Amino acid sequence: MGEAYTHPEVLVSTQWVQDHLDDPKVRVVESDEDLLLYDLGHVPGAVRIDWQGDLQDQVVRDYINADRFAELCSRSGIAPDTTVVFYGDKSNWWACYAFWAFTLFGHKNLKIMNGGRKLWLDEGRPVTREVPSHPATNYQPKGGDEAAVRAFRDDVAAHLKASRPLIDVRSPKEFTGELLHMADYPQEGSLRGGHIPTAKSVPWSRAVNEDGTFKTVDELRAIYQKDLGLKTTDDVIAYCRIGERSSLTWFVLTYLLGFDRVRNYDGSWTEWGNLVRAPIARGE
């Protein structure tokens, strides 16, 4: 049997979730790229949190403020001591993104359902179209350590100057500059293609299995530590196009492999690829 993840408590199985569907101290949250999936059927009792409509400010490119986060949690039946379990499509891209956003606000009891929406459905577990109505709470956000988990463009520039590790988790053709977005998506959002100089290409998908679950700790170490040469003491910044795929890599490095300092650059390529005079590299 392989070695356990550094923080195995942040991952729960689909069976664990099913066993806790009626637990008042647990709130299940579905967060998808495709918002219609929730309406087609979701885990009973799960609430929907829209990564864009609920978590992001609709005017300034940033996250909602603490008051709006408190409102979101309160209406979702989430109290400060509630264990929040995230799951979603795309091998839990957006579940990890929501997990990361909740971390920004200091919520402590956070988990990911390993395998996400795909595994839940593949196993034939119960789904419903009923939208739950949970009792509202009086949520008081504590505030998180944003600087520990989030990088801004100036941080990335300083990282680049200091030759510290940068991980580009996009697809290979996005990394080389052939595409501005993933294949089969609209090619928009950036004026230039390529990657941040010195960044290493490690597509997010290498960290997950076909069933949506995360790879074993030995497999993950082979990718990030053996092949890439990273050490758990390294100061690492991960990025993609808007920070959603890189939040999954942030989760893997931070919780599954136990890296000391990993930050997600949510400005990512839509910001860096549009910055005047920002250095860009192309090709492999």
Side-chain angles (χ1 to χ4, degrees), residues 14 54 56 58 81 90 93 129 144 157 165 167 173 176 201 220 237 253:
T14 50
D54 291 326
Q56 294 193 343
Q58 298 304 295
D81 61 348
K90 302 288 183 181
W93 275 4
R129 293 186 178 183
I167 301 179
K173 286 189 177 182
T176 60
S201 175
L220 295 173
I237 291 178
L253 293 177

Side-chain angles (χ1 to χ4, degrees), residues 150-162 164 166 196 235 237 261 263-268 271-272 275-276 278-279:
R150 188 182 188 191
F152 294 91
R153 63 188 185 189
D154 289 345
D155 299 320
V156 176
H159 218 68
L160 177 58
K161 186 176 181 180
R164 295 194 180 103
L166 290 162
I196 300 173
D235 181 356
I237 291 178
R261 181 165 173 77
R263 286 174 288 168
N264 185 24
Y265 172 34
D266 58 292
S268 282
E271 179 174 58
W272 195 270
L275 282 176
V276 175

Side-chain angles (χ1 to χ4, degrees), residues 20-180:
H20 288 78
L21 291 182
D22 297 321
D23 188 338
K25 295 185 178 299
V26 174
R27 182 69 60 242
V28 180
V29 172
E30 179 163 343
S31 190
D32 299 314
E33 179 184 66
D34 184 351
L35 295 179
L36 295 178
L37 293 178
Y38 179 87
D39 297 323
L40 295 175
H42 50 267
V43 173
V47 298
R48 171 169 52 193
I49 289 184
D50 175 2
W51 68 274
Q52 188 174 48
D54 291 326
L55 293 175
Q56 294 193 343
D57 188 283
Q58 298 304 295
V59 178
V60 178
R61 186 175 177 186
D62 201 353
Y63 292 94
I64 55 177
N65 60 29
D67 288 341
R68 289 177 59 194
F69 180 74
E71 292 172 6
L72 171 64
C73 289
S74 296
R75 73 169 185 261
S76 301
I78 297 171
D81 61 348
T82 299
T83 296
V84 183
V85 182
F86 299 96
Y87 79 96
D89 62 354
K90 302 288 183 181
S91 298
N92 277 330
W93 275 4
W94 300 103
C96 289
Y97 185 87
F99 182 113
W100 178 74
F102 268 62
T103 302
L104 293 175
F105 291 99
H107 196 98
K108 299 297 183 185
N109 302 324
L110 303 173
K111 300 182 185 297
I112 294 289
M113 184 178 80
N114 202 12
R117 180 183 174 89
K118 180 182 186 303
L119 186 60
W120 184 273
L121 296 177
D122 286 350
E123 292 176 340
R125 296 186 183 274
V127 295
T128 182
R129 293 186 178 183
E130 181 180 352
V131 178
S133 178
H134 298 296
T137 67
N138 182 22
Y139 193 95
Q140 300 295 326
K142 297 178 181 179
D145 185 0
E146 181 182 69
V149 297
R150 188 182 188 191
F152 294 91
R153 63 188 185 189
D154 289 345
D155 299 320
V156 176
H159 218 68
L160 177 58
K161 186 176 181 180
S163 299
R164 295 194 180 103
L166 290 162
I167 301 179
D168 187 318
V169 315
R170 298 173 300 162
S171 63
K173 286 189 177 182
E174 289 173 273
F175 181 81
T176 60
E178 295 174 72
L179 296 177
L180 296 177

